[in-house]
Amino acid sequence: MAYTMTPTLVGPVGSQYCVCKVELSVCGQNLLDRDVTSKSDPFCVLFMEVNGKWVELDRTETAVNNLNPAFAKKFIIDYHFEEVQKLKFALFDQDKSSMQLYEHDFLGEFSCTLGMIVSSKKITRTLLLGNGKPAGKGMITIAAQELSDNRVITLSMAGRKLDKKDLFGKSDPFLEFYKPGDDGKWMLVHRTEVSATLTQAAEPRQSLCQLLLPFMALSHHKVVCYDYDSDGGHDFIGEFQTSVARMCDAQDAFPLEMECINPKKQKKKKNYKNSGIIIVNSCKITRDFSFLDYILGGCQLMFTVGIDFTASNGNPQDPSSLHYINPMGTNEYLSAIWAVGQIIQDYDSDKMFPALGFGAQLPPDWKVSHEFAINFNPTNPFCSGVEGIVQAYSACLPHIRFYGPTNFSPIINHVARFASQATQQEAASQYFILLVITDGVISDMDETRHAVVQASKLPMSIIIVGVGNADFAAMEFLDGDSRVLRSHTGEETVRDIVQFVPFRDFRNAPKETLAKAVLAELPQQVVQYFKHQNLPPINSEQA
């Protein structure tokens, strides 16, 4: 009689953001030959843009007399999905032992974002000289790999005849798993919850747990069994040592039994056998895929923008309007598009994004539309990159009449139709993201709640950015961080897919902080959907 439990991992709690380490491997092809009597001796330097300046992170070794180097040293870098991480790879021919780069001959460079590399897994690009021209036939290849072991152990365990430590009733056992530390001492890896105690005398086993453990690829581990006491003074029952390989021999029909030994009792009592038996009914190693596993596996993030053109925004010719484009060429709508779009665009290979508007009257008959292509091409609403969205937005403003009401559901349902087609996928190939930018109160709240509830079953997330100074209580209601969202019929969302932020909270903050806030929950939502659907990355063997 086992029960499913949530594992309690021992260790620091992670950041709310998607942070993990990525290993970058670099190769060069057909590099410029700067040496007269021999070939170039290239090395690669990695820079990251920090506050507008290039900062050196690391260097590879020097490959002697080699125009096609495959550098052994890897670059290891923290990956932040919600940030634009600009990188520059510069190659030099080592001439002297100096650490100063100007002492060495420049062979070419290549700049990109880390997101661009991980979304492609491997990229090959032309090396450029300082004047922007190709560095001969020189090329660079960069490959990314996540530095983590995503394997987990699923264990089903039970106990039999464990020593009674309670005066009244049976013991309340739990287990602690240890691995050897670098200092030779045992290090706690995992603690189970307290087992339910069986009251039926005829039942021979006490159930301990069915649990997930982080993978421990070591030859041996120690497992300690305690009896739980509410005052924290847990009673030691016994311990044993085993290995993952040995536990994996257990099968439901052939469980593995291990004696739980109390060393003190063993020394004192000549006829001591054990303090009970720990039974492993099954032990399986599976993979717990991360967000980066899905991206490296080839998952595409499909980005759509929905823009509010209702009359409450004000006349775009008036400087007080939220759609007024100031002399700097921007407004809150454009700032939100840039903040989110510049992150997401790295994860869509064709970078063609549908841009839709709602709440406006359209020429020539001036009927109100709550779902129109802002490039006025309903059969092809796609814009090329974030720049294309910005251009289409600016171009459409003089040709539409702001009207109303503020209906969200048509655009949500528009994206949901495409997301529903993606539910036929056998692997994690597509996930849809809708960015809605709005200035006010939703008019079709019942329909919107229903649309969100239905969309929560699909590979889809919704980001809402509220511009202006309106009351955004309804938006907070859609963002299910504090309560489960229900449709007007009472149906609950399968998962929280809405993230709302008011732009006014970020007006005086660095521009990248808006992207961090709106994209913080997205990696978790992507992983949650694909896990729930039991969908592996496309190339799960390589991911």
Side-chain angles (χ1 to χ4, degrees), residues 458-494:
L458 304 173
M460 176 175 169
S461 290
I462 302 168
I463 297 166
I464 304 173
V465 176
V467 296
N469 296 310
D471 177 8
F472 292 121
M475 308 301 176
E476 301 281 6
F477 179 75
L478 290 176
D479 188 338
D481 284 346
S482 57
R483 66 174 75 84
V484 176
L485 178 69
R486 291 180 173 84
S487 71
H488 62 284
T489 62
E491 185 181 0
E492 294 183 353
T493 52
V494 175

Side-chain angles (χ1 to χ4, degrees), residues 75-331:
F75 295 125
I76 296 173
I77 187 168
D78 287 338
Y79 165 74
H80 299 263
F81 165 73
E82 72 288 344
E83 295 179 14
V84 176
Q85 294 175 272
K86 292 182 180 177
L87 304 178
K88 180 167 70 175
F89 299 83
L91 287 107
F92 296 85
D93 172 26
Q94 182 168 344
D95 281 339
K96 302 174 183 177
S97 59
S98 173
M99 292 296 292
Q100 301 298 323
L101 292 177
Y102 65 80
E103 298 271 12
H104 308 284
D105 293 325
F106 181 55
L107 300 177
E109 65 185 25
F110 166 67
S111 301
C112 66
T113 63
L114 183 56
M116 190 185 302
I117 300 171
V118 299
S119 65
S120 303
K121 194 167 184 180
K122 179 188 283 189
I123 60 173
T124 299
R125 296 290 188 271
T126 300
L127 287 169
L128 301 176
L129 297 173
N131 58 10
K133 294 182 179 179
K137 296 181 179 179
M139 306 287 285
I140 186 171
T141 297
I142 307 156
Q145 181 177 342
E146 183 176 6
L147 276 184
S148 69
D149 192 334
N150 61 15
R151 291 173 294 179
V152 293
I153 305 164
T154 306
L155 275 171
S156 178
M157 304 181 77
R160 186 176 69 231
K161 294 183 178 179
L162 296 175
D163 283 357
K164 284 181 62 175
K165 296 292 183 179
D166 294 339
L167 191 59
F168 303 102
K170 298 179 180 179
S171 296
D172 305 310
F174 67 92
L175 299 178
E176 289 186 346
F177 290 79
Y178 292 80
K179 68 178 182 179
D182 294 335
D183 57 0
K185 297 179 180 179
W186 291 106
M187 184 170 70
L188 181 61
V189 174
H190 183 93
R191 181 183 294 120
T192 72
E193 290 181 357
V194 178
S195 161
T197 302
L198 299 179
T199 55
Q200 298 95 328
E203 179 64 56
R205 294 180 181 176
Q206 283 179 293
S207 167
L208 280 171
C209 55
Q210 190 168 357
L211 67 145
L212 292 175
L213 276 171
F215 184 76
M216 301 179 290
L218 297 167
S219 58
H220 67 291
H221 311 283
K222 184 169 76 169
V223 183
V224 183
C225 183
Y226 289 97
D227 171 41
Y228 175 82
D229 280 340
S230 58
D231 63 2
H234 310 308
D235 297 317
F236 175 71
I237 294 177
E239 64 186 29
F240 61 91
Q241 291 190 25
T242 185
S243 67
V244 172
R246 187 181 175 205
M247 289 192 292
C248 283
D249 290 337
Q251 299 174 18
D252 290 331
F254 304 100
L256 178 67
E257 298 191 355
M258 286 169 287
E259 290 185 308
C260 202
I261 302 298
N262 184 324
K264 289 184 179 179
K265 283 190 176 183
Q266 193 176 39
K267 284 182 180 180
K268 288 181 181 179
K269 297 181 180 180
K270 289 184 179 179
N271 60 347
Y272 176 83
K273 287 186 177 180
N274 56 57
S275 293
I277 303 294
I278 300 294
I279 302 154
V280 180
N281 291 314
S282 67
C283 177
K284 296 176 182 176
I285 299 173
T286 55
R287 298 184 71 180
D288 186 26
F289 294 113
S290 68
F291 174 73
L292 200 48
D293 283 325
Y294 289 110
I295 296 301
L296 288 169
C299 181
Q300 298 277 294
L301 301 184
M302 317 300 285
F303 181 49
T304 300
V305 178
I307 301 173
D308 180 346
F309 290 110
T310 54
S312 54
N313 282 277
N315 186 329
Q317 304 298 321
D318 187 333
S320 65
S321 169
L322 291 166
H323 280 290
Y324 173 75
I325 298 177
N326 63 34
M328 302 292 290
T330 189
N331 59 31

Side-chain angles (χ1 to χ4, degrees), residues 18-35:
C18 176
V19 183
C20 48
K21 292 192 180 295
V22 174
E23 179 184 84
L24 301 179
S25 302
V26 178
C27 300
Q29 300 90 36
N30 302 316
L31 300 183
L32 289 173
D33 192 353
R34 297 293 196 187
D35 292 347

Side-chain angles (χ1 to χ4, degrees), residues 37-53:
T37 57
S38 63
K39 296 177 181 176
S40 292
D41 305 318
F43 65 95
C44 182
V45 183
L46 173 62
F47 298 88
M48 176 180 278
E49 189 177 84
V50 180
N51 297 325
K53 295 181 179 179

